Amino acid sequence: MPRDQLVTSWVASRFPNQAVSIAPASADASFRRYFRLTWPDGVTRILMDAPPDQENCRPFIQVAGLLAKADLAAPRVLDQDLENGFLVLTDLGRIGYLDALNADPSLADMLIRPVLDALVKWQLSSVAATLPPYDASLLRRELDLFPEWFIDRHLGLQLDNDEKLKLDRTFKFLINAALGQPKVFVHRDFMPRNLMVVESAERLTPGIIDFQDAVYGPITYDLVSLFRDAFISWEEEQEIDWVVRYWEKARAAGLPVHDDFGAFWREYELMGLQRHLKVLGIFCRLKYRDGKDKYIADLPRFMTYAKKTASRYVQLKPLLNLLDKLDGKTEQIGYRHK
């Protein structure tokens, strides 16, 4: 049965004689899709469609439980059919952080500060051996996406042996820097696109979505994901202000962040660089393997992030030289966006 037809028939069978309407809510970079179910009285729920031959719902269910236990705003699982790949979730609303920030940038500080509180709360709830480890093997697999999909497939370049050796040394440096950080729960895509504006009578609360890939790993990962994002960028003065605010909150809450902000900032930047290189590879893989080419337009944003960090640390000079070479090639093939 075609997947769209299965969605319709599943809803009809799960909620018989209830006249539930079905409308697309959002799509995902993966094979998951989301639909908004609406009842005649106005009640809404979200239906996650995750084809079981391509997606596993169990990690989503587990992390949803961890977020609920931490008393954070995240979808609660109301019903599940793992055989067919369907979850019925609570609806956090229609306004995402990315849309809200793009619509009115003056609201940024008001919107972001509660996110810092939520992140500290999420990290305080961390328990070792609960989520998969963000270990050296996973960090390396992510980094290897950069030469495979960005350099080789997208740019059509082959690195010489010296360049391969220098890139391998850089990867080891970044992996060791990540592994040297204190470990907490890591969402892995903690960015405005995966946050919802949830308003209650008492306060503005960020709703957290798309958390199924959560792991146990470096404490700066979610923070740098938030501020060095795929779809929105910030002036460094503003970024530093928010990172300092997080660092102060984290220290006050007893999280194991570095006592020296300069050292913490270095950990933050190096963690961000690992993510930037990974994302350059992932966005190209989405285009060439999965046929999703809209992400290509954001490659220059991540190249800018990566070069900025690489220019600040002597250990990253070989990487900076390589990125300069690759950036010139990127411009030649027409993917350089002003």
Side-chain angles (χ1 to χ4, degrees):
M1 183 184 297
R3 197 71 193 174
D4 286 347
Q5 186 179 343
L6 181 60
V7 168
T8 302
S9 63
W10 189 89
V11 171
S13 65
R14 210 70 166 190
F15 307 105
N17 305 314
Q18 295 187 41
V20 179
S21 68
I22 307 171
S26 67
D28 198 277
S30 69
F31 295 99
R32 288 181 296 274
R33 299 184 300 170
Y34 298 88
F35 298 89
R36 180 166 279 104
L37 309 181
T38 305
W39 275 256
D41 63 0
V43 169
T44 62
R45 297 286 183 260
I46 296 296
L47 175 68
M48 177 196 287
D49 169 25
D53 58 335
Q54 295 165 317
E55 300 290 340
N56 181 7
C57 289
R58 288 179 176 84
F60 184 97
I61 295 169
Q62 180 194 12
V63 181
L66 295 175
L67 289 162
K69 189 174 181 180
D71 194 29
L72 290 163
R76 305 296 191 248
V77 179
L78 304 175
D79 192 8
Q80 58 184 274
D81 178 355
L82 299 184
E83 182 178 352
N84 286 301
F86 293 122
L87 297 180
V88 178
L89 312 170
T90 53
D91 187 355
L92 298 183
R94 299 170 184 267
I95 304 174
Y97 256 65
L98 183 60
D99 290 338
L101 290 167
N102 284 329
D104 189 350
S106 70
L107 298 177
D109 196 55
M110 182 189 75
L111 288 169
I112 292 296
R113 290 199 191 193
V115 177
L116 302 179
D117 293 325
L119 179 56
V120 168
K121 204 171 184 181
W122 166 238
Q123 293 175 335
L124 283 171
S125 73
S126 303
V127 178
T130 303
L131 293 174
Y134 212 165
D135 57 16
S137 177
L138 178 54
L139 288 161
R140 180 66 195 228
R141 287 200 305 273
E142 292 180 339
L143 284 166
D144 283 340
L145 297 171
F146 173 68
E148 178 182 0
W149 289 98
F150 180 71
I151 298 177
D152 187 0
R153 185 64 183 274
H154 182 60
L155 298 182
L157 295 177
Q158 294 292 321
L159 301 182
D160 61 33
N161 288 335
D162 183 57
E163 288 170 331
K164 288 180 181 177
L165 179 62
K166 289 177 178 176
L167 189 60
D168 181 67
R169 287 174 179 164
T170 298
F171 284 179
K172 289 177 179 176
F173 172 71
L174 293 176
I175 290 168
N176 287 336
L179 295 178
Q181 293 189 30
K183 295 176 177 58
V184 292
F185 285 165
V186 176
H187 179 292
R188 267 177 97 195
D189 271 317
F190 196 75
M191 56 188 182
R193 194 166 181 255
N194 290 330
L195 297 170
M196 305 297 295
V197 179
V198 181
E199 295 187 65
S200 67
E202 299 82 20
R203 64 191 186 283
L204 172 67
T205 303
I208 303 169
I209 62 174
D210 203 24
F211 43 71
Q212 60 282 331
D213 295 323
V215 291
Y216 187 70
I219 195 168
T220 64
Y221 192 94
D222 281 346
L223 189 67
V224 77
S225 302
L226 179 63
F227 296 131
R228 297 189 179 176
D229 178 37
F231 308 105
I232 190 169
S233 299
W234 304 102
E235 294 294 332
E236 188 165 70
E237 183 179 359
Q238 176 65 86
E239 178 188 3
I240 292 173
D241 178 77
W242 282 329
V243 174
V244 168
R245 289 180 187 278
Y246 161 82
W247 176 71
E248 290 173 342
K249 289 174 182 291
R251 291 183 72 206
L255 284 169
V257 294
H258 207 291
D259 287 341
D260 176 69
F261 180 75
F264 178 77
W265 179 258
R266 181 178 186 274
E267 291 175 338
Y268 168 91
E269 288 214 292
L270 296 181
M271 190 72 259
L273 182 57
Q274 187 274 347
R275 178 175 169 81
H276 304 152
L277 297 175
K278 171 184 75 170
V279 172
L280 284 166
I282 287 176
F283 281 8
C284 293
R285 186 177 67 181
L286 284 167
K287 173 182 171 64
Y288 298 108
R289 189 192 71 179
D290 302 332
K292 299 179 179 182
D293 60 3
K294 67 179 181 178
Y295 298 95
I296 289 293
D298 286 291
L299 293 181
R301 189 191 305 272
F302 278 90
M303 182 62 81
T304 298
Y305 288 149
K307 289 175 67 174
K308 187 174 183 178
T309 299
S311 70
R312 290 174 165 170
Y313 302 94
V314 64
Q315 299 93 332
L316 299 175
K317 184 65 187 303
L319 176 66
L320 179 62
N321 293 336
L322 176 61
L323 293 175
D324 283 337
K325 171 185 173 180
L326 299 178
D327 207 20
K329 177 65 174 177
T330 303
E331 189 169 19
Q332 290 171 24
I333 64 174
Y335 287 104
R336 184 70 174 170
H337 293 256
K338 302 297 184 184

